[in-house]
Amino acid sequence: MQVLKFGGTSVASSEAMLQVVDIVRKTLEEDRTIVVCSAIGGCTDTLIEAGHRASARDAGYKELIQGLKERHYVLIRELLPPGYQERTSAVVDQLFGELEGLAYGVYLLGELSPASLSAIESFGELFSTAILTDKFLSLGVSCHWLDARELVQVRAGSVDEGETRQRIARAVDAFPHVELFIVPGFIASDESGRGTTLGRGGSDYTASLFAVAVRARRVEIWTDVPGIMTANPKVVPTARTIPHISYRAAQELSHFGAKVIYPPTIRPVVGEGIPIYVKDTFHPEAPGTVVEKNPPRVRDGVLGLSHSDHIALISLEGSGMVGVPGFSSRLFDALSRRGINIILITQASSVHSMCIAIAEGDADAAREAADSCFAYEISLGRLNPLRVETGFSIVCLVGDDILGHSGATGRMLAALGAHSIPVRATAQGSSERNISVIVPSVRAEEAIRAVHREFFDRWNGKVIHLFIAGYGRVGRALVEMLSDNAASIARRSGKELRVCGLANSRSYVIDTEGIPLAEAAQRLSDGEKGKDYIDALIGFSPENALFVDCTADEGIGFRYPALLRAGYSIVACNKIPFSGTYAQFKSLQEEAHKAGVSLRYETTAGAALPVLVTLDRVVQSGDTLVRMDAVLSGTLNYLLDNYQGSGFEALVEDARAKGYTEPDPSVDLSGRDVLRKILILSRQAGLPLEASQVTLEPIPADIDLRYAAAKARGHRLRYVASVDADGRATVGLREVGPDSPLYALRGTDNAILITTGDYPSPMLIQGAGAGTRQTAGGLLNDIMLSI
Ligand code: ADP
Ligand code: ASP
Ligand code: MG
């Protein structure tokens, strides 16, 4: 079984709900599924506000409830077929009736007890799941709604996990033939049978309780961001998805404010080792984050940043503290007796003061507790009354064993210092997973961005170490281009592109200080003999490193995974690493994703033409590829464009002499080069195509006959690679008529026609498909996109 939880934004509109339906139906093909669902986005907030307004005797609460009613009716109208609409409306109507009755009671009494507030809050999940359940039933899915209030048992303020587990297991076992269970998240009941909730964001916790009870294979938390990220993307636009994270580190991030996952969610699944996948409902194909027991290690141990606001600092000061033991334990004791949670403590040993961070909401209670505990010392003037300051935020850098990596604290403080952000207190975590600082809330976002820049925006304002493999025509043109544009690149991007290594098939040179580009050729020929530079690069593995593959080396792709794992981003115009088996292609992408580095190869097909980015966009936007027809060989197009019906071999020889063909023209004529390119394009479009599935027709021996036949019909010959959505692919000579966009193609140009669901009349990408400068320019563009 598997448990999928959808948050408020995932069910906030009918488009979003349809997306949810799609995701769930795909999952049902694999296994029985439990879907835990939140209230529609904003609903819980509105319910809480309505409760408060009603208790303040503000009749405006009615409008808030009316607004919610209308939002739900829109969903019912847009999602359900007519027969179901009445039935679902009747259920939702009845729920709204109960809610209105409850709110009216609060209004009359002018009082909102915690129990009434819980009851009011609970309706959001009841509305959303009523609609979702009927949607699945209307689609013929065998689906059953489970009332979480009867299953999730709260005792003395926290969930009784043992009892809850048994009840859920029993409830699910009672319906062995049901494929899909729908469960309202967030809601539960207490020991006296009254409805209660699990706290804001609590649906995540519901999901993990269900997962443990049914021993699910996995839990998926579907939300509005592509996973757990290096920081809240709403605060740090450059935040990146963390591909893998340990349970402990995820707990730490969420505890300190990353609300993408509700803190209590993780603990129950740890014992069972159930992985949690955090995924983006609106980009379901994106890999997201896996929270698991033993994730692959990251290089410097640093994973992400989180922050929470509304922190108060309390300080105990006075000459009476110096050298006298026991003050701290008395204070901790006084605070704990009031149920006050201590977030962070700093105590300078030489100074007579101690400073503690607590939640702002606890500040008054802390003051009372401390002042009564130390009343005697205060009356003698040995201690000052507790000093309470509010308006602080805590910013935490989280990772596995970050303290084991020297310098993280120093870098964090230096980054804050560089922005003159005052740090009121620091603590190197109670665990080795967290370094925390307390800063004024008004500077908190600035602080987070500064620390993020230091640890995660690896390339900003920094030296980029480039290693260029292959110093033939393209490699040389790239070096020349870098030399010509270094100053303007630095000005525009704030980054210095420094060539620190060069290699060709005979020798290599590595110099971290940078190779003066005017001396590049000389330094290379004076360099180390041999080809074993990859091991040297892996051992060396500097920060901000980028490997540029301008070779046509067959074996180099096998070393890519090691380079990626060592922290190198890769930019390549070498087709071979991407046109082996599909599994190899896919595993390169996964290695790059895991290592958090980039892998780009736009110039492997159509030189610098923006083909791969376009295909990426098709996939990312949820559009579907219908077919692709492409002229991908500048060489063959040149030959066919100049061929007049006889003497093809002489034409090839002439082209070879002019350097228009591969050194061995049979690579062009056999279609192998085009085959590689169509494999790469198809795979980029999401088709798992293998070379053996492509029907390949080389330039035929009877090309003169084919030419004559085409000419008689007013057609031209083109060498075309085609693939359709089912992965049927061909490469070979085609006749095209004047109505085809490929008819007018001249010289060495390439043309790629992409037909998709959204572009039924195909989009055409056309232009120079070969050429040294174009390829080098494309490489430089990929480099700029990677950094
Ligand atoms: P849902 O309604 O799906 O439960 P939430 O709003 O509770 O979603 O959580 C998702 C939000 O968490 C994101 O929109 C994002 O603003 C916020 N967030 C905070 N920190 C992080 C982080 N480190 N990574 C991802 N999202 C984060
Ligand atoms: N609807 C609840 C909230 O907004 C629970 C949840 O979404 O997880 O807090
Ligand atoms: Mg949430």
Side-chain angles (χ1 to χ4, degrees):
M1 268 202 135
Q2 49 206 344
V3 178
L4 274 60
K5 177 261 168 177
F6 293 91
T9 43
S10 303
V11 288
S13 65
S14 52
E15 290 82 32
M17 279 236 193
L18 288 173
Q19 187 73 18
V20 169
V21 169
D22 260 4
I23 293 168
V24 172
R25 292 184 95 182
K26 284 209 185 89
T27 322
L28 279 173
E29 288 169 13
E30 291 169 22
D31 209 345
R32 295 173 79 204
T33 301
I34 297 174
V35 164
V36 174
C37 184
S38 292
I40 65 172
C43 178
T44 311
D45 288 333
T46 309
L47 288 169
I48 293 172
E49 198 191 332
H52 285 298
R53 284 219 201 161
S55 72
R57 309 202 57 111
D58 170 355
Y61 82 87
K62 289 185 187 157
E63 273 163 43
L64 293 177
I65 293 180
Q66 187 55 31
L68 282 181
K69 213 179 205 175
E70 278 157 22
R71 280 186 69 196
H72 285 90
Y73 285 140
V74 169
L75 289 178
I76 292 173
R77 264 201 315 278
E78 292 182 354
L79 284 168
L80 292 163
Y84 274 87
Q85 287 189 12
E86 285 124 48
R87 184 190 130 134
T88 318
S89 302
V91 175
V92 171
D93 262 345
Q94 188 182 338
L95 289 169
F96 268 104
E98 288 171 28
L99 169 63
E100 281 156 353
L102 198 59
Y104 188 56
V106 170
Y107 176 76
L108 290 179
L109 280 172
E111 188 191 63
L112 183 64
S113 68
S116 317
L117 179 61
S118 287
I120 290 176
E121 282 176 325
S122 300
F123 280 93
E125 272 68 10
L126 298 177
F127 299 143
S128 66
T129 52
I131 297 173
L132 196 61
T133 305
D134 280 357
K135 176 69 192 170
F136 281 108
L137 288 173
S138 77
L139 292 169
V141 177
S142 101
C143 163
H144 183 74
W145 183 83
L146 288 175
D147 190 343
R149 290 167 299 186
E150 290 169 5
L151 306 176
V152 182
Q153 176 69 51
V154 170
R155 224 177 276 284
S158 49
V159 174
D160 177 340
E161 291 186 4
E163 173 68 23
T164 299
R165 205 168 165 153
Q166 283 178 12
R167 289 188 188 192
I168 294 172
R170 237 179 284 133
V172 169
D173 284 348
F175 298 94
H177 301 299
V178 166
E179 280 177 76
L180 174 65
F181 293 92
I182 307 273
V183 179
F186 181 53
I187 60 178
S189 56
D190 66 14
E191 53 271 66
S192 57
R194 277 193 309 200
T196 184
T197 67
L198 302 180
R200 295 306 308 270
S203 300
D204 298 340
Y205 188 22
T206 309
S208 76
L209 292 169
F210 272 74
V212 171
V214 302
R215 298 181 190 279
R217 290 185 292 136
R218 56 202 266 143
V219 183
E220 297 178 358
I221 304 283
W222 290 85
T223 181
D224 62 345
V225 284
I228 302 181
M229 306 182 76
T230 49
N232 184 348
K234 295 193 179 111
V235 177
V236 182
T238 54
R240 295 195 304 257
T241 300
I242 304 172
H244 296 264
I245 188 167
S246 67
Y247 290 125
R248 299 283 297 272
Q251 237 163 348
E252 201 96 354
L253 273 178
S254 78
H255 180 71
F256 285 103
K259 77 162 181 157
V260 59
I261 196 159
Y262 182 52
T265 307
I266 297 166
R267 194 181 25 76
V269 301
V270 174
E272 306 285 331
I274 302 172
I276 302 179
Y277 290 75
V278 182
K279 303 266 295 173
D280 186 345
T281 302
F282 306 98
H283 298 98
E285 71 294 337
T289 299
V290 193
V291 186
E292 60 197 334
K293 196 168 193 165
N294 291 313
R297 293 196 56 76
V298 287
R299 261 205 312 171
D300 52 6
V302 177
L303 285 164
L305 263 176
S306 59
H307 74 286
S308 34
D309 299 328
H310 307 298
I311 302 287
L313 284 180
I314 55 174
S315 320
L316 194 64
E317 293 167 346
S319 56
M321 281 175 75
V322 182
V324 184
F327 276 93
S328 32
S329 62
R330 282 170 64 200
L331 179 59
F332 297 160
D333 192 42
L335 295 177
S336 102
R337 266 186 280 121
R338 294 279 189 124
I340 297 170
N341 181 31
I342 294 175
I343 298 171
L344 174 152
I345 308 162
T346 51
Q347 181 173 27
S349 53
S350 59
V351 183
H352 47 282
S353 82
M354 179 168 60
C355 178
I356 293 177
I358 57 173
E360 250 171 26
D362 290 334
D364 289 339
R367 189 199 308 272
E368 282 167 28
D371 290 352
S372 75
C373 169
F374 296 113
Y376 177 66
E377 286 85 352
I378 294 171
S379 72
L380 295 180
R382 291 193 196 147
L383 277 186
N384 301 332
L386 192 74
R387 188 150 65 96
V388 178
E389 298 163 275
T390 53
F392 290 98
S393 296
I394 183 163
V395 176
C396 297
L397 183 67
V398 172
D400 283 312
D401 188 27
I402 34 176
L403 298 180
H405 290 84
S406 57
T409 312
R411 279 172 70 193
M412 185 167 181
L413 295 177
L416 295 168
H419 287 76
S420 313
I421 295 167
V423 173
R424 274 301 305 274
T426 70
Q428 302 211 340
S430 41
S431 71
E432 67 286 7
R433 285 189 179 75
N434 156 0
I435 302 170
S436 312
V437 297
I438 302 274
V439 298
S441 293
V442 286
R443 307 291 301 276
E445 295 204 348
E446 203 187 333
I448 291 150
R449 283 193 281 268
V451 178
H452 194 274
R453 206 170 304 123
E454 171 61 29
F455 286 92
F456 302 103
D457 299 341
R458 301 170 54 212
W459 313 95
N460 275 356
K462 301 243 173 88
V463 174
I464 314 298
H465 302 90
L466 292 183
F467 297 84
I468 302 175
Y471 201 60
R473 281 198 315 234
V474 172
R476 279 200 300 274
L478 176 62
V479 167
E480 222 167 84
M481 226 171 245
L482 286 168
S483 155
D484 292 348
N485 296 301
S488 67
I489 290 172
R491 222 176 314 113
R492 265 185 296 133
S493 65
K495 293 157 198 162
E496 179 197 339
L497 295 182
R498 185 183 290 173
V499 176
C500 294
L502 288 169
N504 63 17
S505 53
R506 292 174 298 283
S507 58
Y508 66 90
V509 51
I510 297 175
D511 180 348
T512 43
E513 294 307 308
I515 298 166
L517 297 181
E519 299 166 19
Q522 190 58 46
R523 290 284 298 275
L524 179 58
S525 67
D526 294 346
E528 298 271 337
K529 299 299 166 231
K531 297 173 66 173
D532 299 336
Y533 55 89
I534 304 252
D535 283 335
L537 290 184
I538 290 167
F540 168 55
S541 172
E543 273 207 325
N544 310 333
L546 202 151
F547 181 79
V548 188
D549 180 4
C550 313
T551 71
D553 191 326
E554 305 229 346
I556 199 166
F558 296 109
R559 307 304 311 278
Y560 279 12
L563 282 166
L564 295 166
R565 282 196 290 268
Y568 285 85
S569 288
I570 295 181
V571 165
C573 61
N574 181 0
K575 295 179 265 294
I576 299 167
F578 306 94
S579 53
T581 64
Y582 179 71
Q584 280 160 354
F585 175 85
K586 198 75 199 144
S587 92
L588 287 180
Q589 321 279 337
E590 281 163 8
E591 289 287 358
H593 177 70
K594 247 193 262 170
V597 296
S598 80
L599 172 67
R600 290 181 185 274
Y601 40 93
E602 180 66 82
T603 49
T604 53
L609 295 177
V611 188
L612 297 181
V613 279
T614 306
L615 292 172
D616 273 346
R617 203 165 303 148
V618 168
V619 174
Q620 306 282 344
S621 64
D623 192 1
T624 47
L625 183 77
V626 175
R627 62 177 295 119
M628 193 159 37
D629 299 280
V631 167
L632 293 169
S633 167
T635 311
L636 292 182
N637 202 59
Y638 170 85
L639 292 172
L640 294 172
D641 192 32
N642 283 284
Y643 185 52
Q644 305 286 339
S646 64
F648 192 74
E649 276 166 30
L651 190 61
V652 172
E653 183 43 40
D654 181 49
R656 195 192 64 78
K658 287 186 176 139
Y660 290 176
T661 68
E662 295 288 323
D664 171 6
S666 75
V667 174
D668 294 312
L669 299 175
S670 66
R672 273 204 323 268
D673 179 63
V674 174
L675 170 68
R676 285 185 180 136
K677 290 173 177 166
I678 194 69
L679 283 176
I680 297 173
L681 296 188
S682 307
R683 291 167 179 183
Q684 200 71 13
L687 297 171
L689 195 66
E690 300 287 359
S692 57
Q693 293 167 272
V694 182
T695 312
L696 173 68
E697 181 204 353
I699 292 284
D702 64 351
I703 182 158
D704 48 346
L705 295 180
R706 300 281 293 267
Y707 179 86
K711 191 165 180 204
R713 280 189 279 270
H715 291 176
R716 289 180 179 161
L717 291 180
R718 296 284 176 250
Y719 198 73
V720 181
S722 300
V723 65
D724 67 14
D726 299 323
R728 276 186 296 260
T730 58
V731 171
L733 206 58
R734 303 275 172 274
E735 270 186 34
V736 297
D739 53 341
S740 163
L742 305 179
Y743 181 82
L745 206 61
R746 308 285 6 179
T748 57
D749 277 6
N750 280 191
I752 297 94
L753 283 161
I754 302 173
T755 314
T756 72
D758 294 344
Y759 287 84
S761 77
M763 53 181 142
L764 170 65
I765 304 170
Q766 181 180 345
T772 309
R773 266 200 76 76
Q774 287 81 353
T775 306
L779 287 171
L780 184 53
N781 190 49
D782 270 356
I783 293 171
M784 297 309 293
L785 289 173
S786 302
I787 63 179

